[in-house]
Amino acid sequence: MSNGNLLEINNLTVSVDDREILHNLNLSVKPGETAVIFGPNGGGKTTLLMSIMGFPRYRVIGGSIKFKEQDITHMPVDERARLGVGISFQRPPVVRGVKMRDMVLACLRRDDKEAERIVDELAQKSHMSNFLGRNINAGFSGGETKRSEMLQLLAQGPDLALLDEPESGVDLENISLIGQLINEVLGKIHPIRERSRSGLIISHTGHILDYVNARTGYVLCGGQIICDGDPHDILNTIKDKGYQECVVCLKK
Amino acid sequence: MLEEIKSCREKAISARDKKAASGDDVDLDKYESHAAQAPQNNTIASISSDIKQAALSTGVMLDDQSQRSGTFVQIDNRPMHSAAAQEGIEVMATSEALAKYAWMKDYLWKAVDVDTDKFTAHTELNQADGYFMRALPGVKTTYPVQACLYMSRSRAVQDVHNIIIAEEGSELHIITGCSAAEREPGVHLGISEFFIKRGAKVTFTMIHSWSPDVEVRPRTCAIIEQDGLFMSNYVIMRPVRSLQSNPTAYCVGKNATVRFNSVIVATPGSKIDIGSRAILSAKGAKTEMIARTISTGGEIISRGYIEASELETKGHLECRGLILGEQGIIHAIPEIKGCRAGVDLSHEAAVGKIAEEEVEYLMARGLSRDEATAAIIRGFLKVDIQGLPPMLNAEMQKAVKQSEADLF
């Protein structure tokens, strides 16, 4: 990759239902890098992830998204997924009649003899073995939903994982498991040098930083990235002074 | 018995022109009517491979019967083969049972009224034959008993009259596959009378695979005694000109239970008016009806009716419909009637389209739009049937899967 970026977003402007949410947003992610995005509610964090994944409701009206040096700005969702972008949803829909096992198998995109065994192994790792026969997301608790999302990402193995508030609605007991699963999705089990998988994590509380190391932190506010730096520094400032400080800081 | 026969005949004559309570009328005079022909007992080997193939698509395996407890084949109005493969299970032509057992008069036209409409009348007046299946007291089928009803004649009426008896404490699993020669017009009239005695259990899985010019008017009733269970699973996914059927189960004994599951697909040009009725007239009687309907351009009326008149009766009715494509009608008519305090009845009905959010969710995992849509439809059609033996469930899913290939 010429400039070494896995993901490169230039001047991205996105509207949802005719309301502009992101304005000329710029962001890049290197291979192996994990970045955390902070920001107030309604700031555009979810919109950013949904736009990178390419859901049609999030309409790009300006700028571009490049992934692995390809312009994916107008590429359909499924093609992006196959190219290596994956997402974990905050509130995924229930799909009646589609079993968890079939979903994980579909994520795996292989139908050889090994596939079933891999599904069982990943499910065990995610503490989801008892859910494989159930309809996807039907009656799942907060923690179960997150584990199910992580299980699907483990099977999919994306080069860029977009994680929308992976810790929300998860009790303390489960949060370290979610952290472990994220680390596995992001390939953090490998030595730093060999890592190529990247992650963009939206976090409200920053709790996930106790379990997942992130190199960069961003503050997304009013549809723009207004700050970047060490994620722990940013988090401490926000905890101390709230997002108001970010806005004030920007004006200086 | 002569008296009985005479009175049936008279009733049938009086109902000759009586239109059905619902569904389009069928002018039977436009078709050839034939009286039933004497049953034969041919070998399976003598049955043509076309018919075997058609039977296979409806879950009836004629060549390999190792996993069947009995087999019956009727082509047009002639029973061609009947054999039971298990002690305590009887499979024969209805006419043979009538000749063999004097008590058959207590069953023939005792669940279905002969003067229900012109279709029941036609069946009686043409002395329809069909299958007789019976499980002796306490006998349980190891494998399902299968029946193949096939229409080969063009522009003819097929009349069928089936009697199914599950004696006390028995268990009878049945697969019936109905099919017709490719593109031949015709009418299928099928009477099925089920008698489920105390503590007996019958599962009846019926798969229809007609051709686009066939009109189908089955008439089915079941009488379920104390602690008896009747489970009816019905699948139609291939084209048919018109089909109207509204089977009724009478739960007359304490804790009698009936479940109806249907998977219905109406392709362009098909008109399907189908329902199920449960009359809960004994304490603790229960029913559950689940219908999954899809229109890819055809018309479906999906009916359901539960009537409860005793204490601790319980019934739930669910119809869900998907309209795929531009055209198509799905008209859900769920009805529940409670006739006293202490009944517990509910229904839910929904007609809609595939949720875009669900399609996109699957696409985000790498499935193409078509793959995602197919997975959702497959899931929609996958009814989890409680209490159906795994093998029958597999047969049913197989039939659904085979027909799915035509859908997408």
Side-chain angles (χ1 to χ4, degrees), chain A residues 19-40:
Chain A
R19 221 180 100 222
E20 201 175 296
I21 307 286
L22 302 180
H23 321 285
N24 292 311
L25 182 142
N26 292 293
L27 177 78
S28 60
V29 179
K30 290 187 165 48
E33 180 184 359
T34 300
V36 178
I37 303 174
F38 302 104

Side-chain angles (χ1 to χ4, degrees), chain A residues 116-161:
Chain A
E116 294 278 352
R117 191 191 56 75
I118 298 172
V119 170
D120 286 328
E121 192 185 300
L122 296 179
Q124 203 171 8
K125 214 177 256 179
S126 325
H127 298 194
M128 289 300 283
S129 300
N130 296 334
F131 289 74
L132 288 176
R134 285 185 41 184
N135 288 340
I136 189 114
N137 302 326
F140 287 19
S141 71
E144 288 158 1
T145 301
K146 300 296 174 186
R147 266 150 47 208
S148 145
E149 290 293 295
M150 294 319 297
L151 168 57
Q152 294 173 59
L153 281 185
L154 276 176
Q156 196 184 343
D159 297 308
L160 174 66

Side-chain angles (χ1 to χ4, degrees), chain A residues 169-237:
Chain A
V170 179
D171 55 38
L172 279 173
E173 209 175 312
N174 270 302
I175 196 157
S176 80
L177 173 63
I178 295 287
Q180 276 173 39
L181 295 172
I182 294 176
N183 284 327
E184 185 148 347
V185 166
L186 298 177
K188 288 195 190 284
I189 43 173
H190 302 296
I192 293 181
R193 253 180 227 222
E194 291 168 23
R195 281 182 208 161
S196 60
R197 290 194 179 173
S198 311
L200 259 184
I201 307 176
I202 292 180
S203 179
H204 235 4
T205 59
H207 284 153
I208 203 68
L209 286 174
D210 297 339
Y211 304 93
V212 179
N213 279 320
R215 181 157 66 189
T216 330
Y218 295 101
V219 177
L220 176 50
C221 187
Q224 287 177 313
I225 301 282
I226 57 169
C227 186
D228 62 275
D230 180 273
H232 292 277
D233 279 354
I234 292 179
L235 187 63
N236 285 335
T237 310

Side-chain angles (χ1 to χ4, degrees), chain B residues 224-266:
Chain B
I224 310 158
E225 296 181 6
Q226 184 175 336
D227 298 319
L229 169 68
F230 179 52
M231 216 189 294
S232 161
N233 308 300
Y234 176 66
V235 178
I236 179 164
M237 295 180 72
R238 297 232 165 92
V240 63
R241 170 167 292 171
S242 78
L243 183 145
Q244 186 273 316
S245 169
N246 205 4
T248 304
Y250 299 94
C251 292
V252 299
K254 214 171 142 188
N255 298 325
T257 303
V258 59
R259 294 208 187 97
F260 287 100
N261 298 291
S262 345
V263 173
I264 294 146
V265 176

